[in-house]
Amino acid sequence: MASIKRGDTVVVISGKDRGSRGKVLKVIADKGRLVVEGVHKQKHHQKPTQKIMQGGIITKEGAIDASNVMLYCTHCHQPVKVKRQMKEDGHSQRLCANCDTVLD
Ligand SMILES: [Zn+2]
């Protein structure tokens, strides 16, 4: 979970959205869930508000479990495992476990 950040490109590896790829829009760290662009679209009823005069049904991405996704490596062109490596400045960076490309 800690290895995925907002803005990452991930691939859904299980559930009905399996195989979908998208950008992480939101990380809900305390629940271990993510919102991924174009994945797990759900319909919501929008009530009319002062800003939006017309109510109706809007489609919006729902949160999915972080364990259902893997980081996508643009070098390997596939979902990959991530490994962490400590840099000299004491911060860790993420590397693709396949090809050692730095993913941060
Ligand atoms: Zn890779």
Side-chain angles (χ1 to χ4, degrees):
M1 175 61 200
S3 61
I4 292 175
K5 296 181 193 174
R6 195 162 67 98
D8 283 345
T9 300
V10 295
V11 179
V12 181
I13 51 159
S14 65
K16 71 174 175 66
D17 291 298
R18 192 154 67 120
S20 304
R21 194 170 94 203
K23 202 168 254 193
V24 177
L25 300 176
K26 196 175 172 188
V27 176
I28 310 158
D30 56 342
K31 287 182 180 159
R33 292 171 82 79
L34 304 167
V35 178
V36 181
E37 193 176 35
V39 172
H40 197 46
K41 290 253 194 175
Q42 292 180 318
K43 284 183 178 146
H44 294 267
H45 290 274
Q46 175 74 51
K47 283 182 188 151
T49 63
Q50 283 188 330
K51 276 185 188 168
I52 310 157
M53 294 302 283
Q54 262 186 324
I57 294 170
I58 54 161
T59 332
K60 212 175 143 187
E61 286 92 348
I64 56 167
D65 204 278
S67 63
N68 288 347
V69 305
M70 280 176 88
L71 210 58
Y72 179 79
C73 175
T74 51
H75 191 258
C76 299
H77 300 288
Q78 61 179 20
V80 293
K81 282 188 178 158
V82 177
K83 62 181 183 183
R84 284 190 168 270
Q85 190 182 62
M86 201 63 92
K87 291 192 289 185
E88 283 174 13
D89 64 5
H91 291 98
S92 66
Q93 63 186 3
R94 297 173 303 168
L95 303 176
C96 168
N98 272 353
C99 67
D100 285 346
T101 295
V102 178
L103 299 167
D104 275 322

